[in-house]
Amino acid sequence: MAIKNVAVLTSGGDAPGMNAAIRAVVRTAVHYRLKIYGIKYGYQGLVENDLIELHRGSVANIIQRGGTILGTARSREFETSKGMTKAKRTIDRYQIDGLVVIGGNGTMRGANAFMKKFGVKIVGIPGTIDNDLFGTDFTIGFDTAINNALDAVDQIRDTASSLERLFFIEVMGREAGFIGLAVGLAGGAEEILIPETRTSIPELVKRLNENIKKGKKSNIVIVSEGDEAGNAFTIARKVKRALNEDYRVAVLGYIQRGGKPTANDRILASKLGNAAVRALKTGIYGCMVGEVNQKIVYTPFKKTYSKKKRINKKIYQIIRTLSE
Ligand code: F6P
């Protein structure tokens, strides 16, 4: 049966490019003469019946804006059976026959549970700075986040080399090292510590010591927030015990997640937003749309968060070689 009413929401941590994705979903829906609703604050808006009808003009002038015009949340209520039942009532009230959810692994998990419980037709779009979803080469927001982090690393490098000081810079990424890996390579870091590889403090100390003896003017260690050896402060303290070097720690935090999306993120968001509505129209749902090798692919929700997306270990090696 042809779909008539579509809704879109953003859930979990905001990511730059979410607005570009919302715009693409809305404009594609309008193109196919579908009614389109925007749900506020992620799944919580579904639970609380908080939604607005969107039109072509509602998404004008947002492609360049960070954050999400719909607001977002990590809804605990939606995870309960009662909350989900309330959300289903909103779906029924507005006769929503296609739902587009934009977010990270928690969002895809929620979509899978909702679909299983009530048979709602849902398509996901990967929107997270962490880039940790299986089924897409890149997630929306990742490119902007690494560029934001890189600006900060470049600026810190000025101080690091002027004072010949050791820096530990912590980047986001929850339990994934994609941001750390990319920023490490692009920022010319001496060391990167990411959750996907084992961190040995004695080995780190040994290499930093060699760098200092070699006369390296600055040493930057990128630490992924999810590294198993601890956060940047903990690691720095452990290193200090063995290596008597003055050091500073910088936690980049939310500057990575904000700001206007890069061209790459806007392009990806526009392609995936368009693909999501087209998928619903052609009867494809229960999956996330992604881009792999420049082709649109559909991955069942469960696979996107239960299958581990692998880091490219070669990059790790390149970072080591180039900073020797
Ligand atoms: O998932 C995106 C992300 O920014 C992670 O990198 C980070 O660990 C997490 O969100 C922080 O979440 P919150 O803003 O909800 O504390």
Side-chain angles (χ1 to χ4, degrees):
M1 208 174 64
I3 57 163
K4 288 193 184 120
N5 305 316
V6 177
V8 58
L9 62 81
T10 48
S11 164
D14 57 293
M18 277 184 164
N19 280 328
I22 295 168
R23 172 181 176 270
V25 168
V26 171
R27 293 272 164 97
T28 308
V30 170
H31 173 80
Y32 289 120
R33 300 189 200 295
L34 303 170
K35 198 170 208 176
I36 171 87
Y37 295 99
I39 296 159
K40 308 293 290 289
Y41 305 106
Y43 292 117
Q44 192 58 32
L46 262 188
V47 173
E48 290 175 7
N49 193 31
D50 188 4
L51 72 174
I52 44 168
E53 197 179 331
L54 298 171
H55 307 277
R56 169 167 286 279
S58 322
V59 291
N61 205 14
I62 66 165
I63 196 167
Q64 77 281 21
R65 284 170 56 192
T68 157
I69 58 159
L70 292 174
T72 183
R74 301 191 196 274
S75 171
R76 290 280 158 263
E77 203 181 346
F78 181 73
E79 286 170 18
T80 66
S81 176
K82 212 169 146 200
M84 243 185 225
T85 306
K86 278 165 91 180
K88 176 64 165 59
R89 266 186 231 134
T90 305
I91 296 280
D92 293 342
R93 187 171 304 135
Y94 292 89
Q95 297 177 326
I96 294 166
D97 38 26
L99 176 63
V100 177
V101 298
I102 308 170
N105 41 32
T107 306
M108 301 308 149
R109 205 178 282 272
N112 196 40
F114 199 37
M115 177 190 80
K116 284 242 158 89
K117 196 168 166 72
F118 293 113
V120 181
K121 294 177 183 166
I122 316 175
V123 171
I125 297 178
T128 164
I129 62 165
D130 299 345
N131 196 29
D132 59 347
L133 281 166
F134 185 86
T136 190
D137 286 341
F138 299 106
T139 56
I140 297 163
F142 173 66
D143 190 61
T144 308
I146 61 176
N147 279 290
N148 286 343
L150 199 56
D151 281 346
V153 170
D154 289 348
Q155 289 172 29
I156 291 170
R157 178 73 76 178
D158 290 347
T159 300
S161 54
S162 302
L163 282 157
E164 300 195 9
R165 200 180 252 170
L166 168 62
F167 265 91
F168 294 84
I169 304 179
E170 186 178 296
V171 296
M172 275 185 167
R174 208 186 285 273
E175 276 138 31
F178 293 97
I179 297 178
L181 197 67
V183 172
L185 181 60
E190 277 58 42
E191 291 291 331
I192 56 155
L193 308 179
I194 55 175
E196 290 85 349
T197 56
R198 196 184 60 85
T199 295
S200 156
I201 302 292
E203 279 171 30
L204 175 64
V205 168
K206 191 168 156 258
R207 283 195 303 271
L208 289 172
N209 208 5
E210 281 165 9
N211 286 349
I212 293 162
K213 279 197 189 135
K214 237 188 279 171
K216 268 197 169 234
K217 294 234 174 293
S218 58
N219 278 286
I220 289 186
V221 182
I222 302 286
V223 183
S224 263
E225 63 172 339
D227 192 71
E228 79 286 356
N231 65 25
F233 285 102
T234 312
I235 291 171
R237 273 195 298 269
K238 286 183 190 166
V239 169
K240 172 78 178 166
R241 264 180 236 135
L243 182 79
N244 200 23
E245 271 291 309
D246 193 18
Y247 73 88
R248 292 291 185 274
V249 174
V251 178
L252 301 188
Y254 290 90
I255 61 161
Q256 293 160 95
R257 224 161 81 178
K260 68 174 189 164
T262 58
N264 279 340
D265 274 332
R266 297 183 205 190
I267 291 165
L268 182 64
S270 302
K271 284 183 189 169
L272 296 184
N274 177 260
V277 176
R278 287 160 59 99
L280 282 170
K281 246 197 86 63
T282 49
I284 299 171
Y285 48 85
C287 57
M288 181 190 85
V289 289
E291 193 180 54
V292 174
N293 292 331
Q294 298 189 19
K295 285 205 176 71
I296 296 293
V297 297
Y298 310 94
T299 306
F301 285 130
K302 198 160 180 210
K303 216 169 165 186
T304 65
Y305 55 85
S306 54
K307 222 168 152 38
K308 182 100 180 129
K309 183 170 173 180
R310 303 257 167 246
I311 61 148
N312 182 350
K313 289 228 163 121
K314 281 188 197 138
I315 294 183
Y316 192 78
Q317 274 315 319
I318 295 172
I319 292 172
R320 278 276 163 81
T321 308
L322 300 188
S323 66
E324 264 170 13

